[in-house]
Amino acid sequence: MLGRILRGVGYLILLICAAAALLSLPRGGIEWRYAGQIVVAFIGGPLLVVLIAGAGLAFWRWRRTRDRLALAVSIAAGLGVTACAFTMGGHIAAAQRHDISIDYARLLWPGPLRYDGPEPERFTYDRFEGEPVEMVVYRPTRSASGKKAPVLVYVHGGGWMGGDASARHGDLQWFARQGYIAIGVNYSLSSSKRHLWDVVQPQVACALSFIGKNSDRFGADPQRMVLFGESAGGNLVLNIGGMTHRGALPSRCGGSVPRIAATVSIYPPVDLVALYGHAPSRHFAVAYTGGSPRQFPARYAAVSPLTDVAAPAPPTLILTGLDDSLVPVRDILGYVRRAKAAGQPIELITVPRAGHGFDGIPGSIGHQIVRKATMAFLKRQGLAPAHPTTSKP
């Protein structure tokens, strides 16, 4: 009796795993497809191992007992293996196209690696409506003697309504191990009643000014400052990076704003009018701007990188999944085409069969692509630390 129960539980787990893998394949049904893609992107390695082992064991039981249920489960698990391998194959192909090596062993235990470096320091750089606005600063674990380190400033995502500077805690620690001053910046969040489209960019400018003023204290080189952000943060770094090159970025707290040397933007909304027209993401655009494009055309133009696509901008790397269900990828591809045509120094990496947040789990293929592509891009721009430390991806 116990054996039947355990076998039934095992079959159920296999069927759930197979269903999750198969959901990553369809072109329709955005929500279900996105769920499947996220499962495969996050835990594709362990999922593939479970499905292969389960398919083999179920097939062995069928050969031994001619149990039709075992055969059905074996076939379902086999289909799951095919779907999982197909989806992961798209991610691997993207890495190979850009000469990014993948640590395949790391895929078997996705999640953070242990970090034994110092904890970050916290600083309040602004106050808004009585609330402190903080940044977290990760110093390099080793840097070149007498030389200031380049700065990587992370601007978090969350639809301008959520998120936190510590969202990429592991990444910031990792960049600090490479020799960067890695800084995560919080900003005031919008809501259904608070629309901060005209506050956030000057607030992040205040953070950049604060970093510049304290560059000696941090051991930072403000002339080699990089912006790095995903989703809403990706939108912000594109806007802010370009505005520093045009001298058009005011700081809420005064002072001079350093000119950004490069930006790395992951699945960014580049056209908020199009974002408003995309039903799954409309509420983010409304919360940020306060209404529709028809009501506030100037607000939408002010926060859409597409508005100034031909204006001066720093070297930029954009990474996106080709099946993003929250930020329409056609807008990102069109933005890159127009930026290149205008002579902007912009690079693009696309990941097939990957959705929004495809890099969310440390060690996953998508996460390795983002880290390694970012480092390679910064090296090409002459923004690598003088003596980066050796660390695992």
Side-chain angles (χ1 to χ4, degrees), residues 25-85:
L25 296 180
R27 304 302 300 182
I30 287 176
E31 291 80 8
W32 286 110
R33 185 182 74 216
Y34 179 59
Q37 287 172 341
I38 287 296
V39 169
V40 174
F42 280 21
I43 58 168
L47 182 66
L48 192 58
V49 170
V50 168
L51 287 169
I52 291 172
L57 288 172
F59 185 75
W60 173 80
R61 177 168 176 76
W62 173 75
R63 288 288 303 271
R64 187 176 170 208
T65 66
R66 296 298 167 174
D67 180 352
R68 292 183 179 179
L69 178 59
L71 178 61
V73 171
S74 177
I75 292 171
L79 291 173
V81 168
T82 303
C84 191

Side-chain angles (χ1 to χ4, degrees), residues 9-196:
V9 170
Y11 285 170
L12 180 60
I13 291 172
L14 278 175
L15 291 172
I16 291 172
C17 289
L22 288 165
L23 284 173
S24 68
L25 296 180
R27 304 302 300 182
I30 287 176
E31 291 80 8
W32 286 110
R33 185 182 74 216
Y34 179 59
Q37 287 172 341
I38 287 296
V39 169
V40 174
F42 280 21
I43 58 168
L47 182 66
L48 192 58
V49 170
V50 168
L51 287 169
I52 291 172
L57 288 172
F59 185 75
W60 173 80
R61 177 168 176 76
W62 173 75
R63 288 288 303 271
R64 187 176 170 208
T65 66
R66 296 298 167 174
D67 180 352
R68 292 183 179 179
L69 178 59
L71 178 61
V73 171
S74 177
I75 292 171
L79 291 173
V81 168
T82 303
C84 191
F86 181 72
T87 298
M88 292 177 68
H91 303 177
I92 293 169
Q96 291 176 340
R97 276 199 309 274
H98 297 279
D99 297 320
I100 297 170
S101 62
I102 297 297
D103 180 356
Y104 293 100
R106 182 74 173 93
L107 301 180
L108 299 178
W109 59 90
L113 293 170
R114 190 175 71 85
Y115 175 70
D116 55 6
E119 286 299 304
E121 301 170 82
R122 290 186 172 271
F123 298 90
T124 296
Y125 74 87
D126 190 22
R127 286 186 172 272
F128 182 75
E129 295 183 349
E131 302 172 353
V133 188
E134 294 186 330
M135 65 173 62
V136 289
V137 179
Y138 299 74
R139 296 178 186 267
T141 53
R142 188 179 71 189
S143 58
S145 177
K147 292 187 177 180
K148 291 186 176 182
V151 187
L152 183 137
V153 179
Y154 166 59
V155 185
H156 68 80
W160 306 280
M161 301 174 68
D164 182 82
S166 298
R168 286 185 179 260
H169 176 68
D171 285 326
L172 293 175
Q173 289 177 330
W174 185 83
F175 280 110
R177 288 203 299 274
Q178 310 313 304
Y180 289 93
I181 302 287
I183 301 176
V185 173
N186 279 327
Y187 52 86
S188 298
L189 300 175
S190 295
S191 68
S192 59
K193 297 180 180 179
R194 191 169 82 162
H195 317 296
L196 303 184

